[in-house]
DNA sequence: CATTTGTTGACTGACGGTCGGTCAACAAAT
DNA sequence: ATTTGTTGACCGACCGTCAGTCAACAAATG
C-alpha cells in the first residue's frame, strides 16, 4: 500500500532550508520555482508536492528564519543583566545590522510584501503567534523591572506601546533610508524610562 | 513642428485616476496592464508612453491618494479644538474604518508591498516627503499644547516616538486581524499624556 | 507481475514589456 | 486654399518569462 512513506513536513523544511540562502541571494522577485527545484536537486513538478505555490515556499522559509531568531533570542536574552540592556536587546531585530540579523530582517520584509497582497489564514495565525511570543518576552522583562523595584508598576501599561513602537521602527527602517533607528530607539526608551522608572531605578544607570 | 503637444504629467494623473478604482476593485496582484489600458480606453502600448512599468502606475495612484489624504487632513485638523482630539485625528489614517480612509489605507498597503521588493529612488524620496509632512503636523500639534501650557516641554521629545508608534499601528493593522488598534492607541496616548501633561493640562480632560 | 506512490520535465496560458508601423494634427511651402 | 513634410501619440501583434499542470515514467511493495 504505502511504499516509502515520506514525512512531508520534514521534507518541506529540508527543501525550505535548501533554498533559504537562495532567497537571500536573489530576492523574492527573482526567485523562480525552477531555481528552487534546482537548488533542492529535484524536478520542478515535485516542488508542488510539498508546496501549494510560490508564496507557500517563502512562508516556510520565513517560518524557519523566525524560529531560529526566536531561539537565538531566548538564548541571548539571559546574558544581559540590566533591564535597559534587555529592552535594547528586544530591539535587536531592527537595530542590529550584522549579516545574520539583516538576513532575518530582509526575509521578514519580503514576507510582509507577500502578506500585503496575498495574506492567507495560515499567515495571519503565524503573525499572531509571533506577536504572542514577543509580548511574552517583553512582559517578562518589564515584570522583572517592576519586581526589582526599578520600574514603576505603571510600566505595564507601556508593554503594548513598546511593542508597537518596535513595529514602527521596523516600518521606518523598511521605508526610509538615512533614518537613524538606533538614535530614535534610544531617545524613546531613555525618555520613557525617565518617566516610568522608580527613584531606585534611576540611580542604576 | 509640434503636432498635438500633450501634457504627459496631467495624462499620467488622469490615467492613474481612471484606474484608481480598478486597483481598489481587483487588487495589485490581479491588476494587469491590459486592464489598465482598457480602463483608460487606450491601447496597451500607449500605457508605456506614460508609465515606465507596472510599479510606476501603482506609484502614481498612491501619490494621488496620499496627496488627497494630506489635503483633507489639513482641512479637518482645524475643526478640532483640544490637543488630544487633534492627536487622535493624527491617528485617523489607521483608526478610521470608513470607506474612504480604508481605500487610502489599503492603497498604502499595496504600495508598501511594492517598495518592499522593488523600491526605487523616487519612492524613497516620496516616503521622505510624507514623513516630513506628518512630522510637521505633529510638531505643530504638540507645540500648540506646550504653548497653551497643557503639555510639558519634555513632550517634544515624544514627537518622533508618537510618529513611530503610529507607523507601528499601521503595521499591526496590516499584519494582524482582531487587533484593536483603537484601544491600543487610546491606551498609549492617554498613559503618555498622563506623564507629559502639565497640571493645567490634566484638568482639561 | 500488478498496483500504488513518487517524480519528472515538456507543455500551457497568462502576463509584462517591446517595437515597427499608422495616422491625426499641425507647419511650411506653394 | 491646397499640398507636402514632420512629428509623436497611439496601437496591438509579438516575444520572453514563469507559475502551475499533467501524462508518462520509475521505484517500491506484496
Amino acid at each position: 500500500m504505502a511504499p516509502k512513506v515520506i514525512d512531508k513536513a520534514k521534507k518541506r523544511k529540508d527543501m525550505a532550508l535548501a533554498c533559504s540562502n537562495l532567497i537571500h541571494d536573489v530576492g523574492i522577485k527573482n526567485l523562480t520555482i525552477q531555481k528552487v527545484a534546482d537548488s533542492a536537486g529535484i524536478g520542478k513538478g515535485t516542488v508542488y508536492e510539498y508546496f501549494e505555490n510560490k508564496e507557500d515556499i517563502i512562508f516556510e522559509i520565513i517560518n524557519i528564519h523566525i524560529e531560529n531568531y526566536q531561539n537565538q533570542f531566548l538564548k541571548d536574552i539571559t546574558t544581559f543583566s540590566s533591564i535597559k540592556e534587555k529592552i535594547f536587546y528586544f530591539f535587536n531585530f531592527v537595530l542590529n545590522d550584522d549579516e545574520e540579523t539583516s538576513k532575518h530582517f530582509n526575509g521578514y520584509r519580503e514576507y510582509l510584501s507577500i502578506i500585503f497582497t496575498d495574506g492567507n489564514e495560515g499567515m495571519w495565525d503565524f503573525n499572531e503567534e509571533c506577536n504572542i511570543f514577543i509580548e511574552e518576552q517583553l512582559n517578562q522583562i518589564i515584570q522583572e523591572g517592576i519586581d526589582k523595584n526599578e520600574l514603576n508598576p505603571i510600566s505595564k501599561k507601556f508593554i503594548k506601546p513598546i511593542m508597537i513602537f518596535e513595529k514602527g521602527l521596523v516600518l521606518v527602517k523598511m521605508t526610509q533610508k538615512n533614518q537613524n533607528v538606533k538614535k530614535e530607539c534610544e531617545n524613546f526608551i531613555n525618555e520613557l524610562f525617565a518617566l516610568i522608572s522608580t527613584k531606585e531605578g534611576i540611580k542604576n544607570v
Side-chain angles (χ1 to χ4, degrees), chain A:
Chain A
M1 275 291 250
K4 191 156 78 166
V5 175
I6 284 196
D7 183 348
K8 289 220 171 186
K10 185 182 181 311
K11 191 123 186 186
R12 254 182 86 99
K13 274 208 171 180
D14 288 345
M15 285 181 55
L17 274 172
C19 56
S20 149
N21 289 318
L22 193 62
I23 201 176
H24 174 240
D25 293 340
V26 302
I28 280 189
K29 197 81 193 283
N30 301 314
L31 184 77
T32 65
I33 299 292
Q34 191 60 61
K35 282 178 190 165
V36 169
D38 292 346
S39 175
I42 59 172
K44 190 180 168 188
T46 313
V47 172
Y48 287 91
E49 287 293 316
Y50 301 100
F51 298 97
E52 272 188 36
N53 50 36
K54 194 175 162 179
E55 278 70 35
D56 197 25
I57 299 173
I58 317 282
F59 185 46
E60 187 65 34
I61 294 175
I62 300 303
N63 257 286
I64 293 172
H65 277 216
I66 304 256
E67 202 177 305
N68 288 345
Y69 185 80
Q70 290 185 349
N71 288 334
Q72 193 63 44
F73 181 90
L74 289 175
K75 244 194 287 176
D76 292 347
I77 194 71
T78 60
T79 64
F80 298 101
S81 49
S82 90
I83 299 298
K84 231 178 193 177
E85 273 178 323
K86 286 187 180 180
I87 290 282
F88 277 120
Y89 188 66
F90 177 79
F91 285 90
N92 180 68
F93 181 67
V94 66
L95 296 187
N96 195 330
D97 284 327
D98 71 18
E99 201 185 336
E100 193 62 18
T101 314
S102 295
K103 215 157 146 178
H104 290 309
F105 189 83
N106 290 328
Y108 186 60
R109 199 188 60 224
E110 309 251 31
Y111 172 62
L112 285 181
S113 132
I114 292 180
I115 292 196
F116 287 174
T117 51
D118 244 353
N120 63 42
E121 213 49 52
M123 292 176 178
W124 296 113
D125 291 347
F126 181 69
N127 293 340
E128 204 57 48
E129 276 176 43
C130 289
N131 209 51
I132 290 170
F133 175 84
I134 65 173
E135 183 167 0
E136 273 172 6
Q137 297 310 313
L138 187 56
N139 189 51
Q140 246 171 56
I141 299 172
I142 298 289
Q143 187 60 55
E144 190 188 327
I146 297 173
D147 292 344
K148 283 185 177 170
N149 201 30
E150 289 181 25
L151 292 179
N152 197 304
I154 192 93
S155 307
K156 291 210 115 182
K157 292 272 188 183
F158 288 96
I159 291 176
K160 283 275 189 98
I162 292 172
M163 282 172 61
I164 294 169
F165 178 82
E166 192 263 353
K167 285 171 197 287
L169 275 185
V170 168
L171 196 49
V172 166
K173 193 170 181 180
M174 285 182 182
T175 53
Q176 294 172 264
K177 308 282 189 200
N178 312 322
Q179 280 284 326
N180 194 337
V181 287
K182 189 160 192 136
K183 202 192 82 192
E184 297 306 337
C185 180
E186 283 169 358
N187 169 43
F188 176 58
I189 294 300
N190 288 331
E191 295 297 335
L192 184 64
F193 266 53
L195 298 176
I196 65 175
S197 290
T198 59
K199 286 168 193 169
E200 279 288 310
I202 290 176
K203 282 181 214 158
N204 319 341
V205 183

